[in-house]
Amino acid sequence: MTRLSSATLCLAAATALSAPAAAAEMRLMTGPQGGVWVPLGGQLKDMWEKAVPGLSVQSLPGAGIANVRAIEDGKAEVGFGNSISTVDGLAGNAPFPKKHENICNIASLYPQYFQMLVPADSGIKTVKDLKGKAITTQPRGNTGELITGQLLKVHGMSYSDVKVSFVSYTDSVEQVKDGHAQAFSLGTAIPSGAVMDLASARDIRLLDLSADLDGMRKLNPGYTLVTVPKGTYPKQGEDVKVIGYATHVVASCKLPADQVYAMTKAIADNVPALAATSKTMAGLTPQIMAEDVGVPFHPGAARFYKEKGITVAAK
């Protein structure tokens, strides 16, 4: 073997070893048909295939909890998640049967808002004032219902301390409209169509939940504080702080750091394309992407954020 051919073979071998191990194919778990995660997944597929040479992304339907399970079990490499349920997965809390240890954060994409509405002329100023009152929230097992129960717990209460109805958004709106309920809670994007419907029928007030954040984070560190800007709803004259959680992208911690770095950078570089699919993505910045939601970041993502002057907790 000549010195030239030997050097050529060594170079080829080194190139092969440096290429991302998962660059051939990567499975991306999105959401159920009809939801925004499916078209957003299509956007991520296109931008990641351009950012990582040789990468082929297979987009698959899923859901927040199912996606975390699939990554942990090796049935997918990346997917969308909701921060609070992802944190439960890491901890092994129900509905997860065990601690999920192969889940790393890549980026937060947009916030979800837990909102508590009361009639504007009611004397209800804080969650503590709900004791003995009739309230409505979503059917059991829904995110909004889960958060409602936890918020009561922070104040030393449970559903037995209120008169609660577990019903649809539509039924909740009707109960508050006709006076059968004094509060309506829900977790969703803003502005909420259900809240707009309620506000068109009677004056309402959005409770400020900023004082509840510390207690909520003790129950689940995935919670954050988000702002509902003034004017989001009729006669809302000031910003209101509420409990938030994030839609984020999670990945197998086993993915190569170089690949995840390129994937994270591609998200930051293509915000306009993502915002064209979902307006909630407009204004996404590396600072928002790097928000601490209680899930450690992949080392590749952490490297990208470090270049932007942002330090994150990595796996």
Side-chain angles (χ1 to χ4, degrees), residues 90-114:
L90 268 61
N93 296 333
F96 296 91
K98 62 178 182 179
K99 289 184 178 181
H100 286 37
E101 300 178 343
N102 185 36
I103 307 299
C104 281
N105 202 6
I106 292 182
S108 290
L109 299 183
Y110 57 88
Q112 300 275 32
Y113 299 74
F114 176 78

Side-chain angles (χ1 to χ4, degrees), residues 250-264:
V250 292
S252 166
C253 300
K254 299 174 184 177
L255 280 180
D258 286 349
Q259 179 176 327
V260 175
Y261 169 86
M263 290 162 59
T264 310

